[in-house]
């Protein structure tokens, strides 16, 4: 009996992985017909406040940029379909409440991370780039500093910064959402009140290991972690006061 079950589950898993691969290839094809729109979308935070130029020092830089944009956009748009296939593959062995809990948690986490994604792309990145380009000096003195971006470095930095923050917010929201329903409000209050500093330290430790040693990013992650945990603690206190 068990060999037959393993065979059928392996066959189903293979078909679902094949569907995901086909959808990924279709996303690559669609992206290839919209490469100029994709490049404009990625350079929008930089072009929003100033008409600047990008430097391309190597012909292969353009090829690397196109590959990065193709694969990043394909992974992004295939992610909901991957979650759908994961849900369908596991739904046969789950209870009804488990299926409903999985769908609700994934939808809310994805909506939250998508909101963070839009905020970073429209609001945060233009402000950061505007702040950095204000260091430009163009005077009659001996030293003149002109700020220009290499296209490949700009795309790598923007993609890394945006997708890392979005993915981190997705998993953080998913973890807090599950803890919110699996634990009582008193247990959550106890954990956050007495172990909040430990959670912040572990989060910052993982962030600093996963990101390059950039001072601005480390300051941003520190402020971001403290603000998120304080907002969660304030919300838990509000819910606990309403219950009591």
């Amino acid at each position: 009996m068990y060999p037959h079950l393993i065979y059928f589950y392996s066959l189903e898993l293979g078909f679902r992985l094949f569907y995901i691969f086909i959808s990924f290839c279709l996303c690559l094809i669609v992206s290839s017909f919209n490469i100029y729109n994709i490049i404009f979308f990625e350079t929008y935070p930089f072009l929003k406040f100033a008409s600047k130029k990008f430097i391309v020092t190597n012909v292969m830089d353009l090829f690397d940029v196109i590959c990065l944009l193709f694969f990043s956009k394909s992974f992004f748009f295939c992610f909901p379909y991957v979650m759908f296939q994961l849900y369908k593959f596991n739904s046969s062995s789950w209870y009804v409440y488990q299926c409903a809990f999985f769908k609700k948690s994934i939808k809310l986490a994805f909506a939250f991370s998508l909101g963070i994604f839009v905020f970073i792309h429209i609001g945060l990145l233009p402000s950061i780039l505007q702040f950095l380009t204000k260091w430009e000096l163009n005077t009659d003195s001996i030293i003149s500093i002109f700020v220009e971006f290499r296209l490949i470095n700009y795309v790598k930095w923007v993609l890394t910064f945006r997708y890392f923050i979005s993915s981190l917010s997705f998993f953080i929201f998913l973890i807090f959402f599950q803890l919110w329903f699996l634990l009582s409000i008193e247990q959550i209050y106890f954990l956050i009140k007495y172990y909040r500093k430990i959670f912040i330290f572990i989060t910052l430790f993982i962030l600093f290991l996963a990101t390059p040693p950039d001072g601005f990013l480390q300051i941003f992650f520190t402020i971001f972690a403290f603000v998120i945990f304080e907002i969660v603690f304030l919300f838990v206190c509000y819910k606990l006061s309403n219950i009591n």
Side-chain angles (χ1 to χ4, degrees):
M1 179 179 179
Y2 290 106
H4 291 288
L5 289 176
I6 294 174
Y7 171 76
F8 285 117
Y9 276 113
S10 301
L11 187 64
E12 182 183 0
L13 180 62
F15 275 111
R16 295 192 182 279
L17 291 177
F18 178 73
Y19 297 153
I20 294 172
F21 176 75
I22 293 298
S23 64
F24 180 77
C25 293
L26 291 176
C27 288
L28 288 177
I29 295 173
V30 173
S31 299
S32 65
F33 291 105
N34 298 276
I35 181 60
Y36 294 106
N37 296 328
I38 294 175
I39 292 177
F40 174 75
F41 176 80
E42 294 298 338
T43 56
Y44 171 78
F46 184 68
L47 301 175
K48 183 179 179 180
F49 57 88
S51 298
K52 296 288 185 177
K53 296 181 180 179
F54 289 98
I55 299 176
V56 178
T57 58
N58 193 345
V59 178
M60 294 304 296
D61 286 351
L62 292 175
F63 179 76
D64 294 337
V65 168
I66 292 174
C67 290
L68 281 173
L69 295 179
F70 280 178
F71 283 95
S72 65
K73 292 297 177 291
S74 299
F75 279 117
F76 177 77
F77 286 106
C78 282
F79 178 75
Y81 186 67
V82 172
M83 292 293 102
F84 172 77
Q85 292 294 341
L86 179 64
Y87 165 74
K88 287 297 183 180
F89 179 75
N90 293 289
S91 60
S92 61
S93 58
W94 285 351
Y95 293 104
V96 176
Y97 76 91
Q98 290 177 319
C99 296
F101 180 77
F102 180 84
K103 288 194 296 184
K104 186 176 182 180
S105 59
I106 291 296
K107 287 180 181 178
L108 292 178
F110 183 75
F112 178 76
S113 62
L114 187 62
I116 296 294
F117 179 93
V118 174
F119 167 73
I120 291 174
H121 187 74
I122 296 178
L124 186 60
L125 278 178
S127 302
I128 294 174
L129 294 173
Q130 186 177 11
F131 171 76
L132 294 177
T133 52
K134 281 186 177 180
W135 295 346
E136 181 177 274
L137 298 176
N138 186 10
T139 61
D140 296 331
S141 59
I142 299 176
I143 300 176
S144 296
I145 300 176
F146 298 93
V147 178
E148 291 185 349
F149 285 78
R150 283 188 62 194
L151 183 60
I152 182 66
N153 292 339
Y154 171 83
V155 171
K156 285 182 178 179
W157 184 80
V158 168
L159 292 178
T160 303
F161 181 79
R162 188 178 58 209
Y163 285 115
F164 182 78
I165 298 297
S166 307
S167 303
L168 182 65
S169 62
F170 175 83
F171 288 109
I172 290 178
F173 184 87
L174 195 63
I175 291 173
F176 277 108
F177 183 82
Q178 294 187 10
L179 291 178
W180 183 262
F181 283 94
L182 297 178
L183 298 178
S184 63
I185 188 66
E186 291 81 6
Q187 292 174 326
I188 297 175
Y189 174 80
F190 176 81
L191 288 175
I192 297 178
K193 180 178 180 180
Y194 294 101
Y195 297 98
R196 183 168 70 252
K197 295 181 180 179
I198 297 177
F199 292 151
I200 293 175
F201 174 79
I202 294 174
T203 303
L204 292 178
F205 180 75
I206 296 174
L207 289 176
F208 290 167
L209 287 179
T211 56
D214 183 62
F216 174 78
L217 286 178
Q218 292 178 353
I219 294 175
F220 173 77
F221 287 148
T222 303
I223 297 175
F224 180 78
F226 273 96
V227 170
I228 290 297
F229 277 96
E230 291 299 329
I231 291 175
V232 172
F233 182 67
L234 181 63
F235 181 74
V236 171
C237 292
Y238 173 76
K239 296 291 290 185
L240 187 62
S241 63
N242 289 337
I243 294 175
N244 296 331

